[in-house]
Amino acid sequence: MTTKTRFAPSPTGSLHIGGVRTALYSWLHARHHDGKFVLRIEDTDLKRSTNEATDTILKCMEWLGLDYDEGPYYQTQRTLRYREVIDELISTDNAYYCYCTKEEVNKMRDEAMKRGEKPRYNGFWRDRKESPPSDVDPVVRFKTPLDGQIIIDDLVQGKVVFNNKELDDLIIARADGSATYNLTVVVDDMDMGITDVIRGDDHLNNTPRQINILKSLNVSIPNYAHIPMILDTNGKKLSKRNDDASVLKYHDEGYIAEALLNYLVRLGWSKGDQEVFSIKEMISDFDIKRVNKSSSSLNTKKLRWLNQHYLKNIKTSVAVDFLTNFYEEKNLSLSDGPHLEALIEVQKNRVHTLRELAEKSTFFYNDRYEYDNKVAMKYLIPEIMEPMTILHELLNELDDWQALNIKSIFESTTNQFDIDIGKLAQPVRVAITGTGISPGIDETLYLLGKTKSLARLRRGIDFIITNSAS
Ligand code: GLU
């Protein structure tokens, strides 16, 4: 049978990094087995679902390259089908209308607790033949078997046993007729032919209920793999509200999709000591059965390290898109600064993220950069005025604006004054960038171009003049 997995997020908040790892594991499992991967948007919670969250999910799947063979399916478009199955369960005596009010059910729960039992609905309308009250809109409850066990051979958790006695008759349709989560998931997994359900272990308790419903529908039961939660850097459960949890954040911070996937695949799964996995290797090596049972904690240091690794071989177009958006948002024009391709070549080995690359390169496109006062006062000093002025003259005469030629001019100027290159390079750096940090000075001037370099050097010289006069 062809392996078929699915990712079934509820669009009720930002897409969570844990959710993406679930998606990745499902995707890898399908790809490893030459199977199919389905995307299903579980948007039946109308109050909490938003179009924005759905758009984010779709965008992130695309960004990460987690392509799906079917979908996106939307549960809100399958209402009639759910109703059909609910009616079928009623007609086969696997489900029944329950007319208890909320107050009555609460009372049953309290009583159960008083008896030292789990709070649960007591099956009051399960086999009742008397005519129902006319003023109550009933819910539909599933008839959970009264005894027996559900044994799950979970691909990650191992054998997990549930006693049916512990489970009550769960609601599968609300009083307004809408289907509940456990019913919609069962119908979808059944109709979509899902063979392997890979999801967060927060759903483990739902699994025996879903299996009972599947059994009553006489369909085969999929394999299950419940993946442990991801913990934050302090070892606490990562909540949707935690900033580190949102995948968009990683996108906006300039992490590369492959680096994030590599990081996530290793968060709870390993193959020897190997840290770096290409997508191809992930697909060939991933084994859901080797996913850890215990939770893993986020380690942003490692992610940064991986990102730096992937940056070295980044597809230029990906970096160009990121930088273009970044500078556009800052209203900086790219037209009179260095070509992005050339800039990326120089900077990509010096940073951990694309955002860092963009930030550290802003000065190239921003002529109105400010001087960092502390470094300016330290380096733009009268002693350096003469070498800087000579350098300016020589650079002005340079026709072939190449890094190598710029370097020779630096060398001849510093030789003339008998000073180390650094003694001149750093003040020049401050003059042309406003800060004490940039790539090699010859490369920086080359990228900046002759006109801008000369104008900015002049600005540095003027700063010295003004400062020494006051
Ligand atoms: N929609 C559920 C969630 O986002 C997942 C359901 C499932 O995978 O079965 O938590």
Side-chain angles (χ1 to χ4, degrees):
M1 194 175 16
T2 309
T3 299
K4 206 168 181 190
T5 65
R6 67 353 179 241
F7 176 46
S10 305
T12 54
S14 65
L15 183 59
H16 195 273
I17 193 115
V20 172
R21 191 185 53 163
T22 306
L24 173 64
Y25 284 4
S26 303
W27 183 81
L28 286 175
H29 187 68
R31 295 289 171 256
H32 179 86
H33 291 282
D34 265 332
K36 299 262 182 264
F37 176 61
V38 175
L39 177 64
R40 183 166 84 217
I41 306 291
E42 303 207 322
D43 54 353
T44 45
D45 183 344
L46 297 179
K47 277 200 204 101
R48 291 171 61 229
S49 299
T50 64
N51 289 339
E52 196 193 338
T54 300
D55 288 347
T56 304
I57 292 166
L58 300 181
K59 190 174 151 193
C60 289
M61 297 296 280
E62 194 186 341
W63 172 53
L64 294 166
L66 299 178
D67 55 336
Y68 30 94
D69 306 291
E70 284 178 32
Y73 293 113
Y74 293 88
Q75 287 193 325
T76 42
Q77 291 172 7
R78 291 180 42 80
T79 322
L80 290 178
R81 173 64 184 140
Y82 302 140
R83 193 64 235 177
E84 205 172 79
V85 176
I86 292 164
D87 290 342
E88 182 187 332
L89 287 169
I90 296 171
S91 69
T92 53
D93 200 25
N94 283 300
Y96 60 94
Y97 288 105
C98 164
Y99 298 84
C100 286
T101 60
K102 273 205 180 94
E103 292 71 30
E104 284 167 337
V105 174
N106 284 342
K107 209 169 140 213
M108 288 172 197
R109 293 198 163 131
D110 288 347
E111 280 165 5
M113 285 219 283
K114 269 188 211 140
R115 289 193 302 270
E117 294 167 9
K118 262 194 183 167
R120 63 211 289 271
Y121 170 72
N122 68 8
F124 186 82
W125 284 98
R126 188 174 166 118
D127 292 311
R128 203 152 287 265
K129 298 280 177 282
E130 69 200 48
S131 45
S134 55
D135 55 344
V136 178
D137 287 330
V139 298
V140 178
R141 287 184 184 270
F142 176 72
K143 274 192 175 175
T144 302
L146 297 172
D147 42 33
Q149 289 184 325
I150 294 294
I151 301 170
I152 305 163
D153 276 318
D154 195 279
L155 297 172
V156 172
Q157 308 287 336
K159 188 169 160 182
V160 190
V161 180
F162 290 90
N163 289 317
N164 282 329
K165 262 207 304 265
E166 304 279 315
L167 312 169
D168 57 5
D169 288 350
L170 70 143
I171 297 176
I172 54 173
R174 302 182 187 90
D176 64 6
S178 63
T180 59
Y181 160 74
N182 279 305
L183 190 280
T184 58
V185 167
V186 162
V187 176
D188 287 350
D189 285 344
M190 170 177 81
D191 286 357
M192 293 167 196
I194 304 300
T195 59
D196 298 75
V197 172
I198 298 173
R199 60 184 171 198
D201 65 2
D202 49 336
H203 286 293
L204 185 58
N205 283 334
N206 289 317
T207 306
R209 304 173 205 279
Q210 293 176 12
I211 291 178
N212 275 327
I213 303 177
L214 285 165
K215 278 183 165 175
S216 69
L217 290 165
N218 289 320
V219 290
S220 55
I221 313 294
N223 298 315
Y224 290 92
H226 289 92
I227 309 170
M229 303 273 101
I230 295 181
L231 305 176
D232 67 13
T233 41
N234 300 318
K236 296 219 177 72
K237 201 179 138 194
L238 206 59
S239 85
K240 273 198 181 182
R241 278 167 307 248
N242 186 321
D243 217 26
D244 282 343
S246 150
V247 179
L248 267 192
K249 183 195 125 167
Y250 292 93
H251 172 270
D252 297 347
E253 286 289 314
Y255 284 92
I256 301 168
E258 289 82 355
L260 187 61
L261 293 179
N262 191 153
Y263 173 69
L264 287 176
V265 81
R266 281 286 290 104
L267 202 62
W269 173 82
S270 59
K271 188 184 169 229
D273 292 337
Q274 191 173 339
E275 289 293 354
V276 179
F277 287 85
S278 66
I279 302 284
K280 234 172 142 181
E281 283 174 309
M282 287 185 210
I283 293 174
S284 69
D285 295 348
F286 182 72
D287 180 358
I288 190 75
K289 291 195 187 120
R290 293 182 50 86
V291 169
N292 276 343
K293 255 201 236 183
S294 50
S295 304
S296 316
S297 296
L298 272 187
N299 176 349
T300 32
K301 247 198 203 146
K302 194 156 174 192
L303 175 59
R304 275 171 73 75
W305 175 81
L306 273 170
N307 206 55
Q308 187 180 36
H309 172 85
Y310 279 88
L311 258 175
K312 294 192 176 115
N313 295 312
I314 192 170
K315 231 167 119 192
T316 310
S317 61
V318 172
V320 165
D321 285 350
F322 187 94
L323 295 176
T324 308
N325 286 336
F326 182 91
Y327 294 128
E328 251 168 31
E329 270 172 28
K330 297 212 156 9
N331 281 327
L332 292 174
S333 157
L334 292 174
S335 57
D336 55 350
H339 281 303
L340 288 177
E341 285 84 351
L343 175 82
I344 292 160
E345 257 333 284
V346 170
Q347 291 280 50
K348 68 182 184 187
N349 292 323
R350 305 170 51 90
V351 292
H352 287 88
T353 66
L354 286 172
R355 173 174 282 272
E356 199 184 331
L357 194 160
E359 279 167 355
K360 287 197 168 152
S361 307
T362 301
F363 72 85
F364 282 112
Y365 304 95
N366 179 15
D367 286 328
R368 271 174 283 168
Y369 60 102
E370 303 275 342
Y371 281 164
D372 171 336
N373 205 39
K374 220 164 130 200
V375 276
M377 296 307 276
K378 181 167 173 199
Y379 291 104
L380 295 177
I381 49 177
E383 289 88 310
I384 207 67
M385 167 94 170
E386 220 188 322
M388 259 176 91
T389 311
I390 299 289
L391 183 85
H392 185 276
E393 270 168 29
L394 293 175
L395 288 176
N396 192 21
E397 283 158 21
L398 179 64
D399 288 329
D400 191 9
W401 193 258
Q402 296 296 336
L404 258 182
N405 298 338
I406 296 169
K407 194 169 172 212
S408 311
I409 290 181
F410 261 84
E411 281 165 357
S412 61
T413 313
T414 48
N415 280 344
Q416 187 184 332
F417 288 90
D418 197 20
I419 54 174
D420 287 345
I421 285 238
K423 277 264 175 319
L424 180 59
Q426 194 61 0
V428 170
R429 180 171 284 121
V430 176
I432 64 171
T433 71
T435 72
I437 300 161
S438 82
I441 196 66
D442 44 346
E443 278 176 318
T444 307
L445 287 167
Y446 163 67
L447 283 175
L448 192 58
K450 184 170 176 179
T451 315
K452 281 194 183 212
S453 295
L454 290 176
R456 292 184 184 193
L457 256 181
R458 169 60 52 206
R459 183 176 161 190
I461 295 168
D462 289 345
F463 180 91
I464 302 177
I465 297 173
T466 319
N467 252 23
S468 53
S470 58

